[in-house]
């Protein structure tokens, strides 16, 4: 049954939303965890409290299905047909899925409907269409030999998802991994499991074999670790904190040396040069800094601006910030919802006090809205006079607090931009095309956007440098590489 957003919100109000383990298509009765919405901390339902035995069952089913060839040996054209049908169903249920992400993560409903779900649907269609357009190679040989270079699905893939873009990150990982024939096990974040559960149900409806796609919900320290240590898992693709990313490397090293793909933290710079078009830049700067409550790995959380235009830019940002309404994310005109949970709210809020103590000055915002819902609401805040030795400059906040640091020369700007352990994304603003080429080449980040904030699109690979992650890229044809292995088949004429 397809639901509209009001029906989803009503089920949440009644505490009837559910996300359980789907293993071989069966929703097995099991222990459960409370699921509370960050909007007002009310109980909206439950999720399965998965355990290691659930992981064992899911991996066994995934491996047996992969070996059987039911999905892995299916022709690319046949897999494409199923994936396209799945994409159609996700598009038909996009309002329902958007509402689930809104209530589950506290994301503004307008963004879920107009940004997240269109991107999710596009990802499924794009990878479905790409399936039968991947070609192998023939090695240059003598006439007595033939060398084929082929790419094969790797086997059992585990997709461990973050809580900030539940549906979209599901698509980024599951669509390419499943499209090329792998068996996939999805572990959604325990804070946001609802849309993943629904999309797996839709996958079965579309014809994806139940053994080729499983869902195991629950806590990271139980389900995540069990997946990371399982000896029959071939790849874990993880998006989340750098701290947890390190754990997956440890789990791999201590088990079967499975491949680990990491997309972790970020502390992305936004550099504004003196010749920038400030009026054009402001909407992009605000989006980079505060979109999705700044709960975004590529968040442009460091604004590095030429000293001669800093005040003019701050004046324009102050006007723009008034348009970013804080409130209940179920309301269409709200841009900033709550932090995803109390522990995360406390962490983000602490940066308000820490930055003041270290010498930062609030230029815009700074208010915590305890009167709204759960009270975990922080308005867009901009600190001026932030130096490179301050916590706000160095540490990933993952909340709506922007650090402003000034510079005098291009060289200083580049040094400040690269003064981070991360390297996921960066953006800068200048009307000088020669500077644009120079700076883009010198900034250490996986995606560098010029005169606008962007993560690229579905055709371009997304991933970072240094502690932002490694091992593979999401998006683009490059995403297939992390879920496949290359084989050489060598024929000798006799």
């Amino acid at each position: 049954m397809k639901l509209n957003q009001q029906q989803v919100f009503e089920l949440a109000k009644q505490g009837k939303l559910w996300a359980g383990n789907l293993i071989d298509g069966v929703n097995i009765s099991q222990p459960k965890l409370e699921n509370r919405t960050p909007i007002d901390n009310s109980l909206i339902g439950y999720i399965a409290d998965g355990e290691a035995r659930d992981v064992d069952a899911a991996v066994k089913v995934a491996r047996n299905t992969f070996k059987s060839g039911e999905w892995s040996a299916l022709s690319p054209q046949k897999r494409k047909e199923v994936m396209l049908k799945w994409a159609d169903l996700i598009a038909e249920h996009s309002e329902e899925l958007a509402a689930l992400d809104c209530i589950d993560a506290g994301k503004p409903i307008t963004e879920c409907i107009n940004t997240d779900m269109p991107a999710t649907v596009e990802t499924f269609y794009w990878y479905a269409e790409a399936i039968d357009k991947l070609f192998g190679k023939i090695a240059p040989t003598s006439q007595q030999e033939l060398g084929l270079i082929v790419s094969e699905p790797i086997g059992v893939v585990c997709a461990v998802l973050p809580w900030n873009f539940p549906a979209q990150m599901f698509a980024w990982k599951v669509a390419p991994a499943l499209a090329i024939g792998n068996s996939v096990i999805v572990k959604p974040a325990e804070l946001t499991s609802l849309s993943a559960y629904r999309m797996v149900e839709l996958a079965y409806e579309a014809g994806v074999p139940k053994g080729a796609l499983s869902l195991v919900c629950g806590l990271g320290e139980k389900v995540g670790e069990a997946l990371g240590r399982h000896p029959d898992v071939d790849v874990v693709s993880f998006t989340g904190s750098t701290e947890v990313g390190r754990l997956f490397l440890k789990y791999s090293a201590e088990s079967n040396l499975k491949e680990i793909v990491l997309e972790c933290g970020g502390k992305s710079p936004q550099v504004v040069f003196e010749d920038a078009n400030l009026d054009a830049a402001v909407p992009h700067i605000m989006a980079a800094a505060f979109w999705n409550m700044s709960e975004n790995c590529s968040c442009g959380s460091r604004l590095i601006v030429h000293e001669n235009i800093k005040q003019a830019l701050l004046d324009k940002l102050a006007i723009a910030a008034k348009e970013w309404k804080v409130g209940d994310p179920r309301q269409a005109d709200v841009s900033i919802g709550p932090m995803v949970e109390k522990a995360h709210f406390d962490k983000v809020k602490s940066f308000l006090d820490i930055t003041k103590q270290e010498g930062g000055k609030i230029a815009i915002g700074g208010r915590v809205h305890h009167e709204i819902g759960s009270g975990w609401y922080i308005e867009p805040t901009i600190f001026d006079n932030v130096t490179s030795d301050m916590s706000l400059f160095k540490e990933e906040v993952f909340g709506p607090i922007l650090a402003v640091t000034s510079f005098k020369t291009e060289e200083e700007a580049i040094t400040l931009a690269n003064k981070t352990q991360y390297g996921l994304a960066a953006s800068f603003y200048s009307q000088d095309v020669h500077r644009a080429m120079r700076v883009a080449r010198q900034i250490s980040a996986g995606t560098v956007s010029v005169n606008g904030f962007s993560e690229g699109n579905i055709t371009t690979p997304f991933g970072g440098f240094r502690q932002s992650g490694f091992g593979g890229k999401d998006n683009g044809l490059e995403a297939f590489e992390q879920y496949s292995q290359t084989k050489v088949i060598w024929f000798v004429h006799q």
Side-chain angles (χ1 to χ4, degrees):
M1 182 176 67
K2 181 170 60 176
L3 304 176
N4 61 37
Q5 67 184 66
Q6 292 307 318
Q7 289 172 315
V8 170
F9 294 156
E10 182 59 31
L11 287 173
K13 185 177 179 181
Q14 296 171 14
K16 293 183 177 181
L17 295 176
W18 165 253
N21 295 343
L22 291 169
I23 301 170
D24 205 13
V26 179
N27 189 347
I28 303 169
S29 178
Q30 56 224 319
K32 56 189 179 182
L33 299 168
E34 286 189 347
N35 186 10
R36 293 182 174 274
T37 176
I39 296 174
D40 57 12
N41 200 31
S42 63
L43 182 70
I44 59 173
Y46 299 88
I47 71 166
D49 185 10
E51 299 177 348
R53 59 186 173 86
D54 299 308
V55 170
D56 289 340
V59 174
K60 182 178 180 180
V61 167
R63 179 61 65 190
N64 289 340
T65 302
F66 183 74
K67 288 181 177 179
S68 75
E70 180 183 3
W71 181 253
S72 59
L74 206 61
S75 71
Q77 181 62 36
K78 292 294 185 182
R79 289 201 306 272
K80 174 181 175 177
E81 291 173 5
V82 174
M83 294 291 289
L84 285 174
K85 186 175 179 181
W86 189 16
D88 287 341
L89 287 171
I90 291 171
E92 291 172 16
H93 289 258
S94 60
E95 182 180 347
E96 174 186 352
L97 293 166
L100 289 173
D101 275 2
C102 170
I103 201 75
D104 216 9
K107 296 168 62 72
I109 186 62
T110 301
E111 285 187 8
C112 292
I113 290 174
N114 297 331
T115 302
D116 290 24
M117 286 315 304
T120 299
V121 171
E122 179 190 30
T123 299
F124 276 100
Y125 279 125
W126 198 86
Y127 283 109
E129 289 290 354
I131 294 173
D132 59 359
K133 300 171 182 65
L134 301 174
F135 296 86
K137 300 176 184 178
I138 299 177
T141 64
S142 69
Q143 293 185 2
Q144 285 71 45
E145 298 166 320
L146 175 63
L148 303 180
I149 304 169
V150 299
S151 180
E152 298 180 342
I154 197 166
V156 176
V157 172
C158 293
V160 181
L161 309 180
W163 47 256
N164 53 344
F165 293 93
Q168 194 173 348
M169 292 301 98
F170 180 102
W172 277 23
K173 296 187 184 298
V174 176
L178 198 64
I180 58 172
N182 292 292
S183 293
V184 180
I185 301 168
V186 181
K187 192 279 178 197
E190 56 265 31
L191 295 173
T192 54
S193 300
L194 297 176
S195 61
Y197 179 77
R198 192 70 183 100
M199 284 191 285
V200 172
E201 288 186 321
L202 295 175
Y204 298 155
E205 186 177 335
V208 174
K210 293 177 180 178
L213 180 62
S214 297
L215 183 80
V216 183
C217 300
L219 301 174
E221 56 265 33
K222 290 164 62 174
V223 177
E225 181 171 353
L227 289 168
R229 292 188 181 277
H230 202 286
D232 206 22
V233 168
D234 298 297
V235 175
V236 171
S237 182
F238 168 76
T239 293
S241 70
T242 302
E243 177 185 8
V244 176
R246 291 179 190 274
L247 290 177
F248 276 107
L249 293 175
K250 176 184 177 183
Y251 301 154
S252 173
E254 294 177 352
S255 56
N256 62 333
L257 286 179
K258 61 180 62 65
E259 295 187 25
I260 302 294
V261 180
L262 300 178
E263 195 271 275
C264 298
K267 193 66 182 174
S268 302
Q270 301 191 72
V271 182
V272 186
F273 289 98
E274 194 173 11
D275 65 335
N277 181 334
L278 297 186
D279 289 329
V282 163
H284 289 276
I285 293 171
M286 291 292 294
F290 301 119
W291 170 49
N292 201 52
M293 292 74 72
S294 310
E295 294 172 337
N296 178 18
C297 294
S298 62
C299 170
S301 56
R302 292 182 297 139
L303 184 60
I304 300 168
V305 56
H306 194 281
E307 61 181 9
N308 291 347
I309 60 167
K310 184 182 74 169
Q311 191 55 53
L313 179 57
L314 286 174
D315 291 343
K316 292 179 183 294
L317 292 174
I319 296 171
K322 295 177 182 178
E323 301 299 317
W324 287 66
K325 181 180 177 180
V326 180
D328 186 325
R330 291 169 293 193
Q331 298 174 2
D333 61 341
V334 165
S335 302
I336 299 288
M339 298 290 93
V340 73
E341 63 173 340
K342 178 64 161 58
H344 184 58
F345 165 77
D346 289 340
K347 174 200 166 188
V348 174
K349 182 177 176 292
S350 72
F351 278 94
L352 296 174
D353 297 327
I354 291 170
T355 307
K356 291 175 186 176
Q357 293 167 8
E358 293 181 352
K361 175 185 176 184
I362 290 182
I364 297 166
R367 182 182 172 192
V368 176
H369 289 266
H370 295 293
E371 77 282 3
I372 304 175
S374 62
W376 308 337
Y377 295 74
I378 300 174
E379 67 183 0
T381 299
I382 300 178
F383 272 96
D384 193 8
N385 299 334
V386 177
T387 59
S388 62
D389 60 341
M390 289 184 183
S391 301
L392 189 62
F393 187 94
K394 296 184 292 185
E395 298 179 24
E396 185 178 37
V397 178
F398 229 60
I401 304 176
L402 176 63
V404 177
T405 305
S406 61
F407 69 89
K408 292 185 171 85
T409 67
E410 180 180 308
E411 291 73 21
E412 183 184 5
I414 293 169
T415 298
L416 287 168
N418 289 333
K419 197 169 185 180
T420 174
Q421 63 184 334
Y422 300 111
L424 185 57
S427 56
F428 68 90
Y429 299 83
S430 173
Q431 299 302 301
D432 185 335
V433 66
H434 301 292
R435 170 181 283 153
M437 289 301 298
R438 284 195 309 271
V439 174
R441 291 288 188 179
Q442 293 181 72
I443 291 181
S444 296
T447 300
V448 179
S449 58
V450 183
N451 289 328
F453 167 63
S454 177
E455 295 178 347
N457 65 16
I458 187 58
T459 69
T460 58
F462 181 80
F465 296 173
R466 298 182 294 207
Q467 292 187 35
S468 286
F470 55 87
K473 303 287 186 181
D474 292 318
N475 292 349
L477 293 176
E478 288 80 358
F480 286 120
E481 296 173 6
Q482 61 186 302
Y483 307 121
S484 60
Q485 51 194 354
T486 300
K487 177 183 285 184
V488 173
I489 302 174
W490 194 265
F491 292 89
V492 178
H493 176 69
Q494 295 181 333

